[in-house]
Amino acid sequence: MSFLDYFISALFLQAGYNSALVAIGAGLLGLAGGGAGAFIFLRKRALVSDAISHATLPGVGIAFMLMVALGGDGRWLPGLIIGSAISSGIGLLMVEWITRQTRLTEDAAIGAVLSVFFGLGIVLLTIIQTMSSGRQAGLENFLLGSTAGMLISEATTIAIAGALATAFVFMLRRPMTLVAFDPEYAATTGINVRHIDLAMMGLALIVTVIGLKIVGLILIVALLIIPPVTARFWTNQVGPMIGIAAAIGGLSGYVGAVLSAAVTSLPTGPIIVLVAFGFFVISALFSPLRGGLASALRHWRFQRRVHRRQGLLALARREPIYDGFTLRILRHSGMIRRDGVATLRGKTASQKAARDEARWAMARRILPDDSAIERYDGLTPIEDMMTQDQIDEIDRVIAEQTGAPA
C-alpha cells in the first residue's frame, strides 16, 4: 500500500483499530490543548506551560524506577502519567511560591524551575539506561513523542483523558475568561483568582501529562500556544477564539497522528507541531482580519485613498502634481486627461474634496470636543461622520466668514 493510500485510510479511521484510537486520542488532546492554551495565552502566562512540560521528566524517571522496584516493567502508562503529574505539579507550585515569596519575577522563577527539573530528569534517564532490570527501551520517546507500537490500552487512556480535559475546559470557560481579562473585577464578583489561575495551570498540566506519549514533553508546549496564537489572526472575540483554537489544536493532533502512522519512522510530536505551524502560516498570510496579505491590501487601498485625496485637493487649488502614483490614480479614475488637465468629473470631485476639507477645518474650530473630530482619519467625508444639523451649522459659519451663501 502506497503512502497516499495508507494516509487516506488512516485519515478516515480505516487503517486499523489501534491507529484510529491513536488518531482520535491525539485529536482530543489537541482539542483540549488549544482550548486550555487560549486562556493561558490571554492570561499572558505562556512560559508557565513550558516550565510545566519540562518539570514532567523527573516524574517519568522516578515513576519508572518505583514500578521496576515493585516488580513491574516500568513502562505502565498510567503510572508514568501519575508520576509526571506529581512532578509537574510540584514544579508549578514552586514557580508560584518563588514568585509570591521572593523578589524574583515570574520569568526568572520559570527559568530556574525549568532548568533544574529538566536537568534532574536527564540525570534520572541516564541512570535508568544503566539499570539491568525493567524495560527502559523506548522511554526516551517521552521527549519527542511516538505512537509506533502504542498499546490499545495506552491509546484508550489518552483518548479518555483528552475527552475529560476538553470537558473541564468547557465547564471552566466563563470564570477563566473573566480572570484572563480582568482579574480585579473577577475578584469583586467573588471569584477566587488564585484558584482559577491554578485551574488554568492545572489544565495545562493535564494536557501536558496526557500528551507525553504522543507529542513529548519538549514539544507539548507548542500544542498549548500555537493554536490560540493562530486563532488570534481570525477573531477579536474570546468565544470564537477559544473555539477556533480548540479546532486548530484538534485538527493538528489528528492529522499529525495520521501522518505519523503513515510514516512510522517519523516521530509523532514534531509532525503534530509542524501541522499546527502550517495552520499558523496559512492564518498569518491569508486571515482577512490580521493576515499579512490582507494587511498589505488594506495598506495599498489606504495609500490609494490618500493619493487620490491629495491629488483632488491639488486640482482644486490649481497646484501642479508631480507624484507619478497620484497621477496614475487620477488618470485611472477619470479625474484628469493624459496631459494632466482636469476633466469635468475631476473638477466636480476636486470641488467636493475642497469643500469637505474646509468643513473639517471649521469643525475642528467650532466643535473641538466632538467624537467625530477624534475619529477623523483625514479621508472620510464629513457626511459619513456628522449629522446633517452639524454640517448645516458648519456651512452657516463658513458662509458668515467668507460672505458666501451657505
Side-chain angles (χ1 to χ4, degrees), residues 41-91:
F41 172 73
L42 292 172
R43 192 73 170 100
K44 297 180 175 63
R45 305 193 71 187
L47 282 177
V48 178
S49 59
D50 201 19
I52 292 173
S53 64
H54 284 75
T56 58
L57 192 55
V60 172
I62 293 172
F64 178 88
M65 292 177 174
L66 288 175
M67 286 187 287
V68 169
L70 294 174
D73 66 5
R75 293 196 305 173
W76 185 52
L77 185 60
L80 295 175
I81 287 178
I82 293 171
S84 62
I86 294 173
S87 176
S88 57
I90 293 172

Side-chain angles (χ1 to χ4, degrees), residues 28 31-32 160-173 203:
L28 290 171
L31 201 69
I160 294 173
L164 291 175
T166 303
F168 283 133
V169 171
F170 180 79
M171 288 189 295
L172 295 174
R173 69 191 188 283
L203 285 172

Side-chain angles (χ1 to χ4, degrees), residues 1-10 258-264 266:
M1 183 181 292
S2 66
F3 164 76
L4 183 59
D5 291 336
Y6 190 88
F7 174 76
I8 293 175
S9 298
V258 168
L259 283 171
S260 180
V263 185
T264 55
L266 295 177

Side-chain angles (χ1 to χ4, degrees), residues 253-331:
Y254 183 81
V255 175
V258 168
L259 283 171
S260 180
V263 185
T264 55
S265 59
L266 295 177
T268 310
I271 296 299
I272 291 176
V273 172
L274 288 176
V275 172
F277 180 70
F279 284 116
F280 172 82
V281 171
I282 293 172
S283 301
L285 290 176
F286 301 109
S287 165
L289 187 63
R290 289 189 176 85
L293 295 180
S295 298
L297 181 60
R298 283 194 297 269
H299 179 73
W300 179 75
R301 288 174 175 171
F302 180 76
Q303 288 294 101
R304 283 181 59 89
R305 291 179 64 199
V306 170
H307 281 267
R308 185 179 185 276
R309 174 82 169 191
Q310 296 304 315
L312 290 175
L313 291 175
L315 288 179
R317 298 164 185 161
R318 298 184 180 181
E319 297 173 350
I321 301 173
Y322 299 106
D323 186 79
F325 186 45
T326 303
L327 291 171
R328 287 196 300 272
I329 291 173
L330 293 178
R331 288 196 193 102

Side-chain angles (χ1 to χ4, degrees), residues 57-58 62 115-125:
L57 192 55
I62 293 172
S115 55
V116 170
F117 273 68
F118 191 68
L120 175 60
I122 294 297
V123 170
L124 291 174
L125 286 185

Side-chain angles (χ1 to χ4, degrees), residues 57-378:
L57 192 55
V60 172
I62 293 172
F64 178 88
M65 292 177 174
L66 288 175
M67 286 187 287
V68 169
L70 294 174
D73 66 5
R75 293 196 305 173
W76 185 52
L77 185 60
L80 295 175
I81 287 178
I82 293 171
S84 62
I86 294 173
S87 176
S88 57
I90 293 172
L92 175 60
L93 292 175
M94 286 184 65
V95 169
E96 189 192 18
W97 183 85
I98 292 172
T99 304
R100 290 167 62 91
Q101 301 297 328
T102 70
R103 295 184 178 181
L104 292 178
T105 59
E106 187 176 62
D107 56 347
I110 289 171
V113 171
L114 183 153
S115 55
V116 170
F117 273 68
F118 191 68
L120 175 60
I122 294 297
V123 170
L124 291 174
L125 286 185
T126 303
I127 295 173
I128 288 171
Q129 295 301 319
T130 63
M131 293 172 59
S132 59
S133 57
R135 295 169 53 197
Q136 64 267 32
L139 201 60
E140 67 277 1
N141 289 336
F142 283 93
L143 294 176
L144 295 176
S146 175
T147 57
M150 182 182 290
L151 301 176
I152 291 180
S153 59
E154 295 177 337
T156 304
T157 300
I158 291 172
I160 294 173
L164 291 175
T166 303
F168 283 133
V169 171
F170 180 79
M171 288 189 295
L172 295 174
R173 69 191 188 283
R174 295 189 184 278
M176 289 195 299
T177 300
L178 192 56
V179 170
F181 275 99
D182 196 340
E184 290 78 13
Y185 175 73
T188 63
T189 62
I191 294 175
N192 191 313
V193 175
R194 181 171 178 269
H195 288 174
I196 296 299
D197 267 335
L198 288 175
M200 288 185 194
M201 296 303 105
L203 285 172
L205 188 152
I206 293 173
V207 172
T208 299
V209 298
I210 64 178
L212 288 178
K213 184 68 174 178
I214 294 180
V215 184
L217 65 90
I218 293 178
L219 296 175
I220 187 64
V221 65
L223 202 58
L224 288 164
I225 301 305
I226 293 180
V229 171
T230 304
R232 195 70 178 88
F233 282 107
W234 295 95
T235 181
N236 286 322
Q237 300 179 352
V238 179
M241 176 190 167
I242 296 170
I244 294 172
I248 291 173
L251 285 172
S252 300
Y254 183 81
V255 175
V258 168
L259 283 171
S260 180
V263 185
T264 55
S265 59
L266 295 177
T268 310
I271 296 299
I272 291 176
V273 172
L274 288 176
V275 172
F277 180 70
F279 284 116
F280 172 82
V281 171
I282 293 172
S283 301
L285 290 176
F286 301 109
S287 165
L289 187 63
R290 289 189 176 85
L293 295 180
S295 298
L297 181 60
R298 283 194 297 269
H299 179 73
W300 179 75
R301 288 174 175 171
F302 180 76
Q303 288 294 101
R304 283 181 59 89
R305 291 179 64 199
V306 170
H307 281 267
R308 185 179 185 276
R309 174 82 169 191
Q310 296 304 315
L312 290 175
L313 291 175
L315 288 179
R317 298 164 185 161
R318 298 184 180 181
E319 297 173 350
I321 301 173
Y322 299 106
D323 186 79
F325 186 45
T326 303
L327 291 171
R328 287 196 300 272
I329 291 173
L330 293 178
R331 288 196 193 102
H332 182 72
S333 57
M335 301 298 173
I336 60 174
R337 301 200 303 254
R338 294 188 64 84
D339 58 0
V341 177
T343 63
L344 179 60
R345 181 182 178 184
K347 291 177 181 178
T348 303
S350 64
Q351 292 171 1
K352 182 178 180 181
R355 183 171 64 251
D356 190 68
E357 191 75 6
R359 284 172 166 175
W360 276 115
M362 183 58 67
R364 282 190 286 271
R365 290 176 55 190
I366 67 175
L367 300 170
D369 298 326
D370 193 279
S371 61
I373 302 298
E374 298 178 359
R375 293 183 285 111
Y376 179 50
D377 58 3

